[in-house]
Amino acid sequence: MTDTLRPARPIHPGVILRREMKAQGKSQRWLWSHSMLSIRQIRGLVREQYPVTEHVAYQLARALGTSPEFWLKLQRQYDEAVAASEEKPQ
């Protein structure tokens, strides 16, 4: 038994992005107009189809008042959780 609880499914940074945008009352169109991200990139993130790259992290941080490290850490944790869930016991 482990001491930490983990979600049954890894949480993509897009989930957090949707929550943060909702909390701040921001739309995808607002994010598009306040960042150097394309609407396609934003939709891909929100739909959990695109990863957070360094460029994306800096744009999200600038537009939403967070830090790039916040978004990069979420992506790293997601990637690690996905990799761990794909490991098969031997």
Side-chain angles (χ1 to χ4, degrees), residues 10-63:
I11 298 174
H12 189 277
V15 173
I16 308 304
L17 176 59
R18 284 195 309 270
R19 291 177 186 167
E20 185 65 24
M21 288 172 56
K22 184 176 181 179
Q24 292 190 25
K26 310 292 187 202
S27 66
Q28 291 181 29
R29 185 168 297 279
W30 181 92
L31 184 57
W32 169 75
S33 68
H34 287 81
S35 70
M36 294 179 66
L37 298 173
S38 70
I39 198 70
R40 183 177 179 195
Q41 287 174 302
I42 294 166
R43 286 183 182 149
L45 285 166
V46 168
R47 293 177 181 165
E48 304 172 40
Q49 297 169 336
Y50 288 175
V52 173
T53 63
E54 286 188 19
H55 171 73
V56 169
Y58 280 95
Q59 295 304 314
L60 293 175
R62 192 182 83 182

Side-chain angles (χ1 to χ4, degrees), residues 2 18 22 25 69 76 82 84 86 88:
T2 63
R18 284 195 309 270
K22 184 176 181 179
E69 293 79 17
R76 187 183 73 246
V82 168
E86 291 173 351
K88 297 185 180 190

